[in-house]
Amino acid sequence: MGEHKDLMQAREMLAAARQVVVMSGAGISAESGVPTFRGAGGLWREFRAEDLATPEAFGRDPLLVWEWYRYRRQIVAPCEPNPAHLALVALEERVDDFTLITQNVDGLHRRAGSRRVLEIHGNMFLIRCTGCGRERMVWDDDFSLPPRCEACGELERPGVVWFGESLPADVMMAAEEALVQADLFLIVGTSGLVYPAAGLLHLVDRKRCGSLLINLDPTPQSGAVDLALHGKAGELLPALLEDSA
Ligand code: BJW
Ligand code: ZN
């Protein structure tokens, strides 16, 4: 009963919004078969973040880090966007102004058809040279590890943001600009533990911008938004977009 009322209220908030910003995390891709980081079945249950997702780890053992990303690329490659990704494509078409900020590196939002996507933690199919900075997208895994740059011969690294590294400044600036103008901020499928992404909620002007959260489990942000819906993104997001009639 309460749940139904919350869904109705969330639909009303969405229907009234013209400038929408969404921020997604690993939970939105869980129903596509992509493992999350924290929680049941999460990658950080099996692997230590500090051994794999830091610049120090890459400096110590680039081959180990590359092998881990190859393993993850191979998990993601056959995965398909799920109803949650598709609901956001439909939402982008429905509102005047739409920005999707994603912490995910799996590329599934673009594959689903979302157009305005800001990948604040990079993309696992992007490779960047540690020497000259040259970037390339590589979809197959037909290269020997660790790969080297054809232009300068230096080691190449995954084009993702590791702990202790800055997020791409231009992408973060675009995210912040979208947020200060938004009239609805929707947070989906993130534990809300990793900064600066988790801090974006504090940038919204609470007087003009509503905030909604959809996540399987309650998070530190569940109590900080106007309305939190707890459940699967692949069920709740499509339900949110249905006509309330
Ligand atoms: C479902 C579901 C379903 C499941 N439907 N829901 C301020 C305070 C404290 C610490 C810091 C701070 N500022 C900086 C830090 C340090 C650090 C940090 O935040 N640490 C915290 C862990 C404490 N941050 C950084 O280092 C960042 N850089 C930075 O701040 O630079 C400035 C600086 C430089 C030097 C010194 C100091 C500052 C960089 C962070 C980079 C994060 N990188 C990763 C790896 C990317 C590459 C890769 O994939 O390998 O990004 S870590 C990992 O976590 C990945 C994710 O994008 C990120 C967030 O995870 P996410 O998406 O929230 O996933 P989960 O698994 O945590 O949660 C999934 C949720 O989904 C769960 O809640 C489930 O319930 C739910 N779920 N199924 C709906 N079907
Ligand atoms: Zn190079």
Side-chain angles (χ1 to χ4, degrees):
M1 192 53 201
E3 267 174 40
H4 185 67
K5 208 171 131 238
D6 284 350
L7 186 60
M8 299 287 279
Q9 192 192 333
R11 278 181 184 149
E12 279 166 22
M13 288 169 70
L14 196 62
R18 301 168 60 118
Q19 310 199 34
V20 176
V21 176
V22 178
M23 179 170 71
S24 68
I28 201 168
S29 294
E31 290 160 78
S32 294
V34 181
T36 61
F37 294 92
R38 299 161 189 86
L43 289 165
W44 297 154
R45 289 275 169 101
E46 209 180 328
F47 303 97
R48 277 162 45 99
E50 52 272 41
D51 291 344
L52 295 161
T54 62
E56 293 76 23
F58 187 71
R60 267 195 311 270
D61 196 343
L63 183 59
L64 176 75
V65 172
W66 261 114
E67 278 168 348
W68 190 60
Y69 280 93
R70 168 168 287 183
Y71 160 77
R72 290 186 42 215
R73 286 158 60 96
Q74 287 171 348
I75 293 176
V76 168
C79 292
E80 295 291 339
N82 69 57
H85 297 105
L86 297 174
L88 294 182
V89 178
L91 181 59
E92 181 164 17
E93 266 150 37
R94 202 164 100 175
V95 296
D96 293 347
D97 201 68
F98 179 88
T99 302
L100 174 51
I101 303 167
T102 187
Q103 300 171 77
N104 298 344
V105 299
D106 58 28
L108 284 176
H109 285 302
R110 285 188 203 278
R111 274 173 56 196
S114 285
R115 282 173 297 153
R116 182 150 170 76
V117 184
L118 301 174
E119 293 176 314
I120 60 174
H121 290 165
N123 188 300
M124 63 157 77
F125 297 96
L126 181 70
I127 293 183
R128 189 170 65 245
C129 175
T130 59
C132 69
R134 196 179 75 142
E135 294 188 334
R136 56 191 182 116
M137 292 298 285
V138 177
W139 303 106
D140 59 41
D141 277 293
D142 252 359
F143 51 89
S144 54
L145 295 183
R148 289 199 167 264
C149 177
E150 276 179 19
C152 78
E154 284 298 324
L155 206 55
E156 290 176 306
R157 58 163 283 174
V160 300
V161 181
W162 287 321
F163 285 111
E165 292 188 314
S166 310
L167 280 66
D170 51 337
V171 180
M172 269 311 268
M173 209 181 295
E176 289 166 10
E177 267 167 25
L179 263 181
V180 294
Q181 292 179 29
D183 42 49
L184 186 73
F185 185 31
L186 167 59
I187 300 173
V188 187
T190 174
S191 59
L193 296 172
V194 174
Y195 285 80
L200 289 175
L201 177 59
H202 305 303
L203 289 183
V204 305
D205 176 358
R206 302 298 296 260
K207 287 196 287 290
R208 69 178 296 257
C209 181
S211 50
L212 271 175
L213 180 145
I214 292 180
N215 202 63
L216 192 57
D217 305 300
T219 76
Q221 301 180 322
S222 294
V225 291
D226 294 331
L227 182 61
L229 303 175
H230 296 123
K232 289 186 172 178
E235 291 166 9
L236 286 173
L237 266 180
L240 191 62
L241 263 80
E242 270 167 33
D243 286 330
S244 36

